[in-house]
Amino acid sequence: MAVSKPLLLLDNASMLTLLHQGCFRLQEISFEEVKAILEMHGSREVVRCFSNAEIEQLLYKHLDVAIRNFNYAPVENMAVDQDAIAFRLYVTPSETQPSIRTEYGNEATKVQNLYVYCQFLTRFDPDAGPSAQ
């Protein structure tokens, strides 16, 4: 009987660690797709590999994912044919943000905006023929 490979949940740092260890297919996915994928998996079938603890709060608060007790493991490697969802943080530079005047007459400049987008990753074996993929 084949051992099931858990779905990995990654952030920027844990994803970069993995990308240097093999060949991957990456696909942009929506928050709705992330939620649907997580709902298809039991809590024991998902492993959190976040280096940034705030990412998990985004799951529950902004993606409207039910709070679940996903196991945690530091990311070390990813098996061939294993899947992952990466929660990618993107910070816009401060110079792209407008300055505003507060109601008290002070000028305020937004320092940064934080955006999150998601990617679905699958590790593959580049030496496998098309029939194996």
Side-chain angles (χ1 to χ4, degrees), residues 74-128:
V75 66
E76 293 176 5
N77 57 25
M78 187 171 166
V80 171
D81 295 329
Q82 189 169 13
D83 297 326
I85 296 174
F87 297 88
R88 305 293 309 275
L89 297 175
Y90 173 74
V91 180
T92 60
S94 61
E95 57 269 6
T96 65
Q97 304 308 313
S99 294
I100 61 168
R101 286 234 175 255
T102 68
E103 60 188 60
Y104 305 108
N106 300 345
E107 185 176 336
T109 301
K110 190 181 281 183
V111 175
Q112 63 185 15
N113 274 342
L114 178 65
Y115 296 92
V116 177
Y117 65 97
C118 302
Q119 290 180 309
F120 189 81
L121 293 80
T122 301
R123 184 169 179 188
F124 69 95
D125 181 358
D127 297 326

Side-chain angles (χ1 to χ4, degrees), residues 21-122:
Q21 298 178 3
C23 295
F24 294 86
R25 287 185 194 90
L26 288 90
Q27 178 181 343
E28 305 297 318
I29 59 174
S30 69
F31 292 139
E32 292 81 19
E33 291 169 312
V34 169
K35 184 176 178 181
I37 291 168
L38 289 175
E39 288 173 352
M40 292 180 349
H41 288 78
S43 293
R44 297 202 182 280
E45 299 171 329
V46 178
V47 175
R48 296 175 296 132
C49 302
F50 302 140
S51 58
N52 180 345
E54 294 175 359
I55 293 290
E56 188 166 15
Q57 294 310 310
L58 290 171
L59 278 175
Y60 303 131
K61 184 176 180 182
H62 300 291
L63 299 182
D64 193 28
V65 171
I67 295 176
R68 293 168 54 191
N69 189 22
F70 297 126
N71 290 324
Y72 172 80
V75 66
E76 293 176 5
N77 57 25
M78 187 171 166
V80 171
D81 295 329
Q82 189 169 13
D83 297 326
I85 296 174
F87 297 88
R88 305 293 309 275
L89 297 175
Y90 173 74
V91 180
T92 60
S94 61
E95 57 269 6
T96 65
Q97 304 308 313
S99 294
I100 61 168
R101 286 234 175 255
T102 68
E103 60 188 60
Y104 305 108
N106 300 345
E107 185 176 336
T109 301
K110 190 181 281 183
V111 175
Q112 63 185 15
N113 274 342
L114 178 65
Y115 296 92
V116 177
Y117 65 97
C118 302
Q119 290 180 309
F120 189 81
L121 293 80
T122 301

